[in-house]
Amino acid sequence: MSKAAESEPAIPTAAASGVEPTKALYCSFCFKSQHHVRKLISGPASIFICDECIDLCNEIIAGQLPSSKSPSLEQLPTERLLERLGPIEETVQGKGSQLQQVVDLLRSRRVSWAVIGAALGISRQSAWERFT
């Protein structure tokens, strides 16, 4: 592979297929945008992971301490925290959508609200109110 190809950021899959995303996509773990990482991999329910977070996971799995430490939230400037709000909300919404799908599937299998509520650590009534 040429040096130019190695240093060029990868085009996200959606853009590579000719479909332009309507908004920037963000890693669900570090909240970097697709424009600030080489690769961003899509998972279920609008969850994404970047190549940098995958590298970190691989280091941890291999039993190595991470080579670099991310700054704590307290160390981040206000502007960066504000930039993170949108991606965090998108991640939360995506997980909420996935949760609703699983509950709907369980209900189609005739699983009771009491059992679903118990699995979520909430009452039967709370589960019913939240998911209907």
Side-chain angles (χ1 to χ4, degrees), residues 117-132:
L120 292 169
I122 60 177
S123 70
R124 172 193 58 80
Q125 180 70 25
S126 295
W128 179 81
E129 289 174 357
R130 181 174 174 187
F131 297 105
T132 57

Side-chain angles (χ1 to χ4, degrees), residues 92-107:
V92 169
Q93 293 299 321
K95 293 307 276 182
S97 173
Q98 185 180 30
L99 181 60
Q100 183 68 53
Q101 289 174 340
V102 171
V103 169
D104 290 345
L105 180 59
L106 289 169
R107 289 296 296 151

Side-chain angles (χ1 to χ4, degrees), residues 26 28 37 64 73 81 89 113-114 121 130:
Y26 296 87
S28 301
V37 296
Q64 302 168 354
L73 287 177
L81 291 173
E89 178 61 19
W113 286 115
R130 181 174 174 187

Side-chain angles (χ1 to χ4, degrees), residues 1-62:
M1 184 182 282
S2 73
K3 292 241 186 232
E6 287 176 357
S7 63
E8 239 177 82
I11 299 171
T13 307
S17 66
V19 178
E20 284 297 317
T22 57
K23 58 185 173 182
L25 303 174
Y26 296 87
C27 177
S28 301
F29 301 90
C30 68
F31 305 108
K32 290 181 183 174
S33 86
Q34 68 193 54
H35 306 292
H36 293 103
V37 296
R38 284 177 294 150
K39 293 190 182 205
L40 189 64
I41 300 167
S42 175
S46 300
I47 303 298
F48 300 91
I49 187 167
C50 71
D51 58 299
E52 294 173 17
C53 287
I54 290 172
D55 289 344
L56 177 62
C57 290
N58 286 333
E59 286 179 29
I60 294 168
I61 290 169

